Amino acid sequence: MAHLGALCALEEAGISFDVYAGTSAGSIVGALRARGYSCADVVELFSRLDYKNLLLSVAAAGTSRPALDLLRRLLGDCSISELKKPFAAVATDTADASEVVLKEGDAAEAVLASCSIPPLFRGRKIGGRTLVDGAFVNAIPGDRARELGADFVIGVALSRAESYRIREFYTAGGERKMILQTGFDACDVLLEPDLSRFSPADVFGGMEMYEIGYACAAERAGEILEKLSRRKQRA
């Protein structure tokens, strides 16, 4: 919801987007926007979603299938290449803690892999690899947006970006890896809405998070428009 608030504020200011790259929650929002949903559409979808029952369904089933079914209903049974705009989801390979950038294949599977935080969500097997949440390796993938062709990147961090700089990850074999993240250094503008009073697993307060994201982006919309104008003049 914080991602959505930021996007809505920027679009109301006349700032549109050509590509989307996302990690974890950002991959959900990015994929829906790349599919063609408006910000208002996604806000409505999320406001009607029963998060608590979804999590209970996943726990009861012992599988991520309920979450995958939900993503398929939202995205359709499509591949990433069939989305209306270029999109990439970031995930982590459990074998060696390497970053995996999903730019092709099943869109719903890619998003679920990017969001799979153990132990609630088991890793997803894609291309012979078991993948989990991408925030372990690249939480704010500004660099991946550039790879998709973006020449001006706006990133949104749901925690302070520097808190992701060095992350710890244990591989499936038990090896401890220390990971240096630099993806957010590729952002021209980095938005950091203050969500410190919410936990990462908080399923309530969605509209409050939306308003925080909206206010953060609205406050900097003028700065972003000025930077875009200067870049256009130079071009």
Side-chain angles (χ1 to χ4, degrees), residues 50-97:
D50 189 337
Y51 297 96
K52 185 176 181 180
N53 279 340
L54 174 62
L55 294 175
L56 288 173
S57 297
V58 169
T63 171
S64 302
R65 188 74 202 188
L68 181 62
D69 290 343
L70 172 63
L71 287 169
R72 287 207 193 287
R73 288 198 299 274
L74 296 176
L75 291 169
D77 192 12
C78 71
S79 66
I80 292 175
S81 63
E82 292 174 311
L83 298 175
K84 293 184 178 180
K85 292 189 176 181
F87 168 73
V90 174
T92 304
D93 190 331
T94 59
D96 57 7

Side-chain angles (χ1 to χ4, degrees), residues 4 20 32 35 48 60 64 71 77 124 152 155 162 217 232:
L4 281 172
Y20 295 89
L32 289 171
R35 185 76 173 104
R48 289 191 284 108
S64 302
L71 287 169
D77 192 12
R124 305 297 301 174
F152 189 92
E162 280 298 329
K232 186 176 180 180

Side-chain angles (χ1 to χ4, degrees), residues 1 4 37 40-54 70 73-74 203 206-207:
M1 292 298 283
L4 281 172
Y37 285 94
D41 290 337
V42 184
V43 170
E44 183 180 355
L45 287 171
F46 281 12
S47 63
R48 289 191 284 108
L49 184 61
D50 189 337
Y51 297 96
K52 185 176 181 180
N53 279 340
L54 174 62
L70 172 63
R73 288 198 299 274
L74 296 176
V203 295
M207 287 312 299

Side-chain angles (χ1 to χ4, degrees), residues 2-233:
H3 277 301
L4 281 172
L7 278 173
C8 285
L10 295 175
E11 292 197 350
E12 285 177 15
I15 300 164
S16 59
F17 298 87
D18 299 305
V19 303
Y20 295 89
T23 299
S24 200
S27 73
I28 301 174
V29 175
L32 289 171
R33 293 291 287 118
R35 185 76 173 104
Y37 285 94
S38 70
C39 276
D41 290 337
V42 184
V43 170
E44 183 180 355
L45 287 171
F46 281 12
S47 63
R48 289 191 284 108
L49 184 61
D50 189 337
Y51 297 96
K52 185 176 181 180
N53 279 340
L54 174 62
L55 294 175
L56 288 173
S57 297
V58 169
T63 171
S64 302
R65 188 74 202 188
L68 181 62
D69 290 343
L70 172 63
L71 287 169
R72 287 207 193 287
R73 288 198 299 274
L74 296 176
L75 291 169
D77 192 12
C78 71
S79 66
I80 292 175
S81 63
E82 292 174 311
L83 298 175
K84 293 184 178 180
K85 292 189 176 181
F87 168 73
V90 174
T92 304
D93 190 331
T94 59
D96 57 7
S98 61
E99 179 181 357
V100 178
V101 184
L102 299 166
K103 295 186 284 188
E104 57 185 25
D106 187 292
E109 282 281 8
V111 170
L112 186 55
S114 182
C115 297
S116 291
I117 304 176
L120 180 59
F121 290 94
R122 297 178 181 177
R124 305 297 301 174
K125 288 191 178 296
I126 297 178
R129 299 174 293 195
T130 301
L131 307 180
V132 294
D133 196 292
F136 293 110
V137 290
N138 194 353
I140 307 128
D143 50 349
R144 305 313 170 200
R146 291 200 183 280
E147 289 175 358
L148 291 176
D151 59 4
F152 189 92
V153 178
I154 302 172
V156 181
L158 300 186
S159 297
R160 299 297 293 179
E162 280 298 329
S163 70
Y164 294 107
R165 178 75 70 179
I166 299 176
R167 303 290 282 179
E168 181 181 76
F169 183 83
Y170 284 88
T171 68
E175 183 182 359
R176 179 172 176 260
K177 296 273 192 177
M178 300 305 295
I179 300 162
L180 176 66
Q181 295 196 21
T182 59
F184 54 86
D185 291 331
C187 296
D188 294 281
V189 174
L190 183 59
L191 303 176
E192 298 176 287
D194 184 4
L195 302 171
S196 57
R197 65 178 175 275
F198 301 100
S199 76
D202 204 325
V203 295
F204 302 105
M207 287 312 299
E208 187 178 358
M209 296 180 204
Y210 174 92
E211 293 297 339
I212 291 170
Y214 184 98
C216 176
E219 183 179 351
R220 299 190 62 189
E223 169 199 341
I224 294 169
L225 286 167
E226 185 178 344
K227 287 185 174 182
L228 285 168
S229 177
R230 288 201 303 266
R231 178 163 297 212
K232 186 176 180 180
Q233 289 170 5

